[in-house]
């Protein structure tokens, strides 16, 4: 396949960091720091781990029994001790930890001391319900502070949180609760989307009705009067915390204790429960947040992600809190109520670090320069992008409207990697559209199918050595974990195609598998296909990703109808609605085309690659396995 990978000619400009940025940065010379880190990665990670507090030290940094890794063996820790206690016992106790802004303009501010108290109350309430180490809690909340509090409270006790993005529908939530066998679900009455209240509790009711493991449902009630709750099984969040003590010690845990499951899409219809652990994940998110964003105590750090996705886990909650940062988080869309939303927040709170996505940048770019132009953005110093390739045009626009002198950290990583792996540091020269070079201690490369380094050119992105924040397994499915390491000999295969240029810069170009990135969200084509096939009118379906101006990619579906069903605009709308009901709005196909046959291999597998090539007017490559 490597030979089919289009290697685009990149002739973009090189942006050198200014002297002030470099002088201020933790890492001033990337090449030297990288060389040193990679000469002995275990020593490098050992040094990073020592910057954090442990209840007892590790005796071995890494145990590597290919492809199973354990980090910081013998060490005990608790990630929340480093997120909270460490700061509460220092001058940071009254420093602002989280500024939350609601969609309707509400503001809630938590100092480290206040966040600590809230987390402890929640942890005590969890204990009161009889929750024990290793138990799973599904968190299905909109972007409100309780989402962060609930995650940290679970972690404090060694419970495993499974946060599910609140845009997912009941069947998608149900399959995630089932796989995790969660005892508890935490939700809210409503989330808000462009001013409309979206009821969440009925989604949980529907899912939980089919999940016998769920014992209790905790509900954050945002609207007055509060929705009615079932007295035995359902508890109001405030009443649940009422009277709970604000003191609760973090439980010392073995470094390899699972911290969370996070479900992500792959090439089959079943989402994968990626497992991360306390010790290694703590070390990885801590140091990447520190070095990539150059996080300092005086910064106000704004990450636009939702904790429902991995970016929110690692770079709203854990990474920044581990660094004692002040975090701004805002509910709602970038262009609601106006396209000035984020620019206003940056001005109002004096944001200095702004981590966003290519989709959001392209959306704001459509509204023009006036919106950012009307605001004082001079407090910004470091910018970030994540989730999908950023096209140079969007990069240049973002760079220009924010003052033309702030470096953009184009961070490449995945749910599975836990933390950022390929990224610039503020001292690195930038090429718009390139995630530049590997992070310290990370041996990333671009290889052919046999695992041979390609030098320069196109191939598959791989990681050649284990790293602390890597996933430990896929919950209930270790074979799928092995799949990541069996694909290309000796390497972790990310599933991305990538081009490496003569300067060793990485240009990630998209997925090599059947995963579509819609607005940076990972959607498995197989999941959408199985949702379509569950509709009474559809006998077969094939789904592909197609380039889209704002969202990066959009979903296009090809369907074969059952006899007796006719293609009508109503049916097409109904199919779209059906996918939304099964999976959620994010997975809804934008285009559906009715066909009479689908290209298949002789063994009956749908060749999505052929459909995609045809749709885009490209050469389909090797079609020798095609049946007809
Ligand atoms: O294809 C890559 C793309 O997002 C995938 C990982 O998706 P997910 O697990 O949802 O995590 C998203 C947030 C880390 C990758 O396999 N991707 C992520 N960041 C970039 C990217 N593609 C290009 N450039 C990036 N900076």
């Amino acid at each position: 396949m490597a030979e089919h990978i289009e290697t685009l000619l990149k002739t973009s400009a090189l942006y050198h960091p200014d002297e002030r940025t470099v002088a201020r940065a933790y890492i001033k010379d990337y090449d030297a720091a990288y060389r040193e880190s990679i000469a002995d990665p275990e020593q490098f990670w050992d040094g990073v781990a020592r910057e954090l507090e442990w209840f007892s030290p590790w005796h071995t940094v890494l145990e590597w029994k290919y492809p199973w890794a354990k980090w910081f063996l013998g060490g005990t820790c608790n990630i929340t001790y480093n997120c909270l206690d460490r700061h509460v016992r220092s001058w940071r106790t009254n420093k602002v930890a989280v500024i939350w802004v609601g969609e309707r303009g509400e503001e809630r501010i938590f100092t480290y001391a206040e966040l600590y108290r809230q987390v402890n109350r929640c942890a005590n309430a969890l204990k009161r319900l009889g929750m024990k180490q290793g138990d799973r809690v599904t968190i299905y909340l909109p972007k409100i502070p309780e989402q962060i509090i609930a995650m940290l409270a679970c972690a404090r006790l060694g419970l495993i949180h499974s946060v599910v993005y609140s845009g997912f529908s009941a069947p998608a939530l149900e399959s995630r609760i089932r796989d995790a066998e969660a005892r508890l679900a935490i939700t809210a009455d409503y989330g808000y989307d462009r001013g409309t209240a979206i009821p969440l509790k009925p989604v949980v009711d529907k899912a939980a009705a089919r999940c016998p493991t769920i014992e209790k449902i905790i509900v954050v009630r945002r609207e007055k009067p509060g929705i009615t709750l079932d007295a035995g099984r359902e508890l109001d969040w405030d009443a649940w915390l009422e009277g709970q003590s604000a003191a609760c010690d973090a439980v010392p845990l073995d470094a390899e204790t699972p911290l969370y499951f996070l479900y992500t899409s792959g090439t089959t219809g079943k989402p994968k429960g990626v497992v991360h652990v306390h010790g290694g994940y703590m070390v990885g998110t801590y140091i990447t947040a520190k070095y990539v964003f150059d996080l300092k105590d005086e910064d106000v750090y704004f990450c636009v992600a939702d904790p429902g996705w991995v970016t929110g886990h690692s770079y709203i909650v854990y990474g920044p809190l581990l660094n004692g940062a002040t975090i701004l988080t805002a509910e709602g869309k970038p262009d609601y109520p106006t396209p000035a939303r984020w620019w206003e927040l940056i001005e109002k709170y004096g944001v200095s670090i702004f981590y966003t996505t290519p989709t959001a940048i392209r959306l704001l770019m459509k509204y023009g320069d006036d919106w950012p132009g009307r605001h004082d953005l001079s407090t910004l110093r470091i910018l970030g992008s994540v989730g999908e390739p950023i096209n140079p045009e969007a990069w240049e626009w973002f760079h220009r409207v924010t003052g033309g002198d702030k470096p953009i950290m184009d961070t490449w990583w995945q749910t599975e990697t836990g933390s950022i792996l390929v990224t610039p540091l503020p001292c690195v020269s930038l090429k718009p559209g390139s995630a530049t070079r590997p992070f310290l201690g990370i041996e990333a490369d671009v290889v052919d199918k046999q695992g041979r380094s390609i030098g320069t050119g196109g191939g598959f992105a791989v990681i050649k050595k284990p790293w602390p924040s890597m996933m430990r397994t896929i919950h209930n499915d270790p074979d799928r974990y092995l799949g990541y390491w069996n694909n290309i000999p000796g390497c972790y295969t990310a599933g991305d195609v990538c081009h490496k240029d003569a300067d060793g810069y990485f240009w990630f170009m998209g997925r090599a598998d059947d995963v579509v990135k819609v607005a940076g969200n990972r959607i498995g084509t197989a999941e959408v296909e199985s949702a379509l096939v569950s509709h009474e009118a559809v006998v077969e379906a094939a789904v592909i990703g197609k380039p889209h101006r704002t969202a990066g990619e959009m979903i296009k579906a090809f369907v074969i109808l059952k006899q007796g069903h006719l293609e009508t605009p109503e049916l097409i709308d109904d199919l779209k609605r059906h996918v939304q009901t099964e999976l959620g709005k994010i997975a809804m196909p934008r285009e559906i085309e009715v066909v009479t046959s689908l290209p298949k291999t002789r063994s009956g597998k749908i060749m999505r690659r052929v459909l995609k090539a045809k749709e885009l007017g490209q050469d389909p490559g090797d079609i020798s396995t095609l049946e007809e």
Side-chain angles (χ1 to χ4, degrees), residues 376-418:
D376 177 3
L377 308 177
S378 61
T379 51
L380 288 172
R381 66 181 193 95
I382 307 272
L383 307 170
S385 168
V386 64
E388 47 181 320
I390 180 165
N391 48 310
E393 192 193 0
W395 194 105
E396 302 276 6
W397 183 81
F398 189 36
H399 190 253
R400 180 164 53 76
V401 300
T402 48
D405 56 352
K406 282 103 194 166
I408 302 175
M409 304 299 114
D410 178 359
T411 64
W412 178 90
W413 57 296
Q414 307 178 295
T415 306
E416 295 88 335
T417 71

